Amino acid sequence: MTTQKLIMKKFLNDPENIAAELLEGYTLAYADKVSLMSEKIVVRTHPKSKDKVALVTLGGAGHEPALSGFVGEGMLDASVVGDIFAAPGAPKLLEALKTFNREAGILLVVLNHAGDVMSANMAMELAKREGLNVRMLLTHEDISAGLDTPDEDRRGLAGCVPLFKVAGAAAEAGKSLDEVLEIAERFNKQMATLAVAMTGATHPQNGQAISELPDDEMEIGMGQHGEAGGGRTKILSADETAQRMIEPLISAVDAKAGDKTMLIINGVGATTLMEMNLIFRKAYRVLEAQGIEVISGLVDEILTVQEMAGFQMILCKLDADHVPLLKAPCDTPYWTVR
Amino acid sequence: MASFDCQRLAKMTATALVSLKERADEFSGLDAETGDGDHGTAIVSAMTAVDRVAQQGTELKKVLGDMGFAAMTESCGSTSTLIGAFFLGMSDGVKGESLNAAETASMFSAGLKKVKEQTKASIGDKTMIDALQPAVDAMPANAENGIPAMLQAAAKAAATGAESTKDMVAKFGRARNLGERVIGHLDAGAVSTACMFDAFARGFTAST
C-alpha cells in the first residue's frame, strides 16, 4: 500500500477551523430552517413542540449534506458534529441530549462507526446518570462485508437519511418514544446499502489520500473479497454495475414480488447525476422484473466523502406504515416534501 | 520510595505531550497507511487537553476525572474517547493523594478496564490495546521494585506490544476493510500508546 500526499484542489482556510466554518456558512445560508445552538450543534430554527419526541444524531463533518443537512421540520431536531471524519466527544453529545430532554423523550440515531458508537455509548451512560429520557438506535445497513456479517460489523451508511425521514415523521405525528423507536427499528432492519468506489478522496485537513484505486478499476463493497458480489474489478458498465449491486440488496432485505420499496442512489462526491440516473434506471428495471414496486425514488447526494467517485445504492423494503411517513411533509435544507 | 501524586502526574503528562508532539507526523504517517492519516493530530489534541488540566491538579481523583472529560470535550474521534476513558477509569481506581506502587498499578488497571468498556478490541486486533494492555498487565509483577522500575517495565511491554501489531490483520476501524493489505504496517494507536508509556516512565523520574 503506497500512500502519497496529494496536492489538494480544495477551497480551504485553516484546516483546524473547517468544521466550525462550514457549519457557520451552512446555518447562515439556511437561517430560516437551521441554527447553531452552540459550537457544532445544529438545531431547528423553529423548534418542534416539547410534547413530541426529539430526534438527535451525531457524526463527523466532511460528509455534507449529511448529517446536519437533514435538521428541520419533520426530520432531525439536532445534529451534533465532530471534526472532519471524527465523531464529536461524549460531553458535546450530552449537551445536546440535556437541551432536548423532555417528557416525550429523545431518540438518538447513531451510525455504526467505531468513534460514533464510543461517543454515543459514553454519552448514554452519562445521560442515564442524569436521568435523561433517551433511547438509542444504531444503523448498520452496509452489506459489503457479506450478508451473514453480524450487525456490529456492518457500517452505517447513507441509509440513516431515509430513517431520519421515517422516524422524524412519526415523531412529528405525536407518536410515543416506544412507537417511534419501533417504527424506526423496523425500517432499520429492512434496509440495506452497498457502496461502490472508483477513485479515492483526500482528507481535507492533512491531504492524505483515502482508499486509492488503480485508474482502470472499481471496488464494490469495501475491499472485502467477493462478498456480496463485491471486490475489485475492472470498470464495468452502468447496467452491469447496477445489476451486480441490486441483486444482493434484494436478497439482503428479502424483497419479494408485491413488496413496496424505496430505492436511493447516493452520490459520494465526484460521480455525476447523469451516471447515477443510469444506475437508478437499471436497478429499477431489475426490481420491476421481479415484481417489486418502487414507490419512492431518490437520485442525489445525501452523504458524501469529499471528492470520492462512486455511489451508495440503498434499498428499503417498506411496511404499510412506512409509506405515509416517507410522504409526510418535511422541510429541511436537503430534503423537502410539501 | 517515590510515590504517585498530582505533581508526578503533571510531570508525566507534560513529558508525554512533548514526546507525542515530536512524533506526531510519524503517527499520522502510520495511520495514513491504513486509516485517515490523522492520528498524530488526534493524539496530540487529546493529550494537550489532558496535560492542561493535569498542570492545575490538586486532588488526584478529581484531576484524573477532569483530564478524561477534557480529552473528550476538546478533541474528536475514537482517540479522544479512548484516551478520555483511560483517565476517567484511573480516577475511578484511585483512593487518596499519594499512591504506592501497588496502588498505582491498580489505578492503571482501572483505566484499562474503562477503555475496554468502550471498545471490544482485545490483544491481537491491531489497536492501541496491543500496547496498553501489556503495559498495564506488566505492572503488578514489577510493583515490588518501586514505581520507576514498574513504569519502565510497562513502557517496555508497551513497546513490544506495539511492535507486534506489524504482523496483525485489523479487526477495527477503517483498517478492518483492508484485510490482509494491512500486514506489515504498525498500528498508529499502539505506537502512540507505547510512546506515552515511555514518556510516563521518564516523566515520573524527571527532576523538578
Side-chain angles (χ1 to χ4, degrees):
Chain A
M1 229 176 315
T2 56
T3 50
Q4 58 196 62
K5 282 227 173 187
L6 301 183
I7 297 187
M8 274 192 291
K9 288 186 105 172
K10 293 184 200 266
F11 299 104
L12 300 171
N13 302 313
D14 181 345
E16 288 288 305
N17 303 331
I18 296 175
E21 288 180 359
L22 87 87
L23 293 176
E24 190 184 339
Y26 168 60
T27 49
L28 288 168
Y30 297 98
D32 55 332
K33 297 182 186 179
V34 288
S35 308
L36 274 176
M37 180 184 101
S38 71
E39 199 198 341
K40 297 191 183 168
I41 300 182
V42 177
V43 298
R44 285 167 55 162
T45 301
H46 307 290
K48 180 195 276 168
S49 77
K50 276 263 195 178
D51 59 349
K52 293 175 177 176
V53 172
L55 196 60
V56 176
T57 193
L58 76 149
H63 299 295
E64 292 64 40
L67 301 164
S68 308
F70 306 102
V71 172
E73 191 190 332
M75 289 184 84
L76 293 166
D77 292 276
S79 142
V80 185
V81 187
D83 208 337
I84 302 293
F85 304 157
K92 197 79 199 163
L93 180 54
L94 185 68
E95 183 191 330
L97 295 176
K98 277 182 175 170
T99 303
F100 284 88
N101 192 42
R102 55 194 58 204
E103 208 164 314
I106 304 172
L107 178 60
L108 173 64
V109 179
V110 184
L111 283 68
N112 191 19
H113 295 278
D116 300 49
V117 173
M118 278 184 220
S119 286
N121 286 340
M122 178 78 80
M124 288 295 284
E125 191 185 316
L126 299 169
K128 203 191 281 185
R129 278 190 215 175
E130 306 236 359
L132 307 184
N133 184 14
V134 192
R135 306 281 291 277
M136 178 171 144
L137 179 149
L138 188 66
T139 67
H140 39 63
E141 86 282 7
D142 177 26
I143 61 163
S144 65
L147 295 180
D148 53 357
T149 311
D151 284 352
E152 64 190 41
D153 288 342
R154 294 165 48 151
R155 296 170 308 158
L157 301 175
C160 62
V161 178
L163 186 139
F164 296 153
K165 176 69 190 79
V166 166
E172 210 71 61
K175 294 194 181 297
S176 71
L177 182 54
D178 284 345
E179 289 169 319
V180 174
L181 181 60
E182 189 280 325
I183 288 165
E185 198 52 86
R186 200 155 23 84
F187 187 88
N188 194 24
K189 286 198 178 81
Q190 296 178 178
M191 67 176 177
T193 298
L194 195 49
V196 58
M198 270 188 174
T199 68
T202 43
H203 193 303
Q205 284 172 304
N206 56 26
Q208 283 299 348
I210 299 171
S211 57
E212 293 168 273
L213 284 157
D215 282 347
D216 60 342
E217 290 187 5
M218 58 184 248
E219 186 160 36
I220 296 177
M222 273 295 295
Q224 313 289 342
H225 300 291
E227 296 95 337
R232 287 189 180 201
T233 64
K234 294 290 176 215
I235 293 177
L236 305 169
S237 69
D239 279 1
E240 201 172 346
T241 303
Q243 176 106 35
R244 276 198 195 199
M245 291 174 76
I246 192 67
E247 283 175 348
L249 290 170
I250 292 169
S251 311
V253 305
D254 193 27
K256 302 263 191 301
D259 282 339
K260 291 181 167 50
T261 61
M262 179 175 199
L263 175 64
I264 301 175
I265 307 298
N266 166 53
V268 294
T271 294
T272 58
L273 288 169
M274 172 195 80
E275 297 160 84
M276 286 152 60
N277 280 302
L278 297 184
I279 297 286
F280 188 94
R281 167 187 165 272
K282 179 62 181 181
Y284 183 101
R285 293 296 178 217
V286 172
L287 289 163
E288 185 182 48
Q290 299 190 19
I292 300 163
E293 195 184 347
V294 178
I295 62 141
S296 189
L298 184 68
V299 178
D300 204 350
E301 288 185 346
I302 55 177
L303 188 155
T304 61
V305 189
Q306 294 300 301
E307 74 282 20
M308 184 178 276
F311 62 88
Q312 296 172 9
M313 185 184 285
I314 303 144
L315 184 66
C316 315
K317 186 170 75 169
L318 307 172
D319 291 337
D321 58 345
H322 291 140
V323 179
L325 293 170
L326 277 172
K327 307 261 182 196
C330 72
D331 190 14
T332 77
Y334 289 90
W335 191 327
T336 309
V337 179
R338 298 218 184 279
Chain B
M1 278 290 202
S3 57
F4 186 100
D5 56 21
C6 277
Q7 285 71 29
R8 299 273 184 180
L9 175 65
K11 280 198 286 187
M12 288 160 72
T13 57
T15 311
L17 182 58
V18 170
S19 301
L20 291 169
K21 274 184 177 166
E22 277 170 2
R23 294 176 60 188
D25 285 349
E26 176 196 338
F27 304 143
S28 286
L30 289 171
D31 187 37
E33 302 287 356
T34 57
D36 289 342
D38 60 359
H39 183 65
T41 347
I43 189 75
V44 166
S45 128
M47 191 51 74
T48 301
V50 163
D51 179 58
R52 200 195 56 254
V53 174
Q55 296 312 317
Q56 301 154 354
T58 51
E59 291 171 63
L60 194 51
K61 194 177 188 69
K62 183 176 184 312
V63 75
L64 284 163
D66 290 350
M67 286 155 69
F69 260 98
M72 293 191 288
T73 306
E74 293 164 48
S75 181
C76 293
S78 319
T79 302
S80 69
T81 305
L82 293 166
I83 292 290
F86 185 48
F87 289 104
L88 280 184
M90 290 208 284
S91 172
D92 293 341
V94 161
K95 271 202 203 76
E97 294 302 331
S98 175
L99 313 183
N100 64 24
E103 289 164 336
T104 305
S106 308
M107 171 188 72
F108 276 105
S109 172
L112 171 66
K113 183 167 167 273
K114 191 82 178 168
V115 172
K116 302 270 280 190
E117 284 171 16
Q118 312 309 318
T119 172
K120 293 197 176 81
S122 47
I123 299 259
D125 290 344
K126 204 179 181 97
T127 69
M128 72 179 295
I129 295 290
D130 287 304
L132 184 61
Q133 192 165 328
V136 172
D137 288 350
M139 289 186 190
N142 288 279
E144 61 192 20
N145 305 323
I147 297 176
M150 181 178 87
L151 290 175
Q152 277 155 14
K156 191 161 167 254
T160 309
E163 195 55 39
S164 73
T165 61
K166 196 166 200 153
D167 305 322
M168 295 174 186
V169 172
K171 298 212 180 59
F172 289 86
R174 282 217 15 237
R176 194 174 73 86
N177 301 317
L178 297 170
E180 307 255 306
R181 283 182 257 170
V182 300
I183 292 178
H185 298 284
L186 291 167
D187 176 67
V191 175
S192 72
T193 300
C195 170
M196 183 174 77
F197 272 93
D198 179 67
F200 283 171
R202 286 181 290 112
F204 185 85
T205 51
S207 54
T208 33

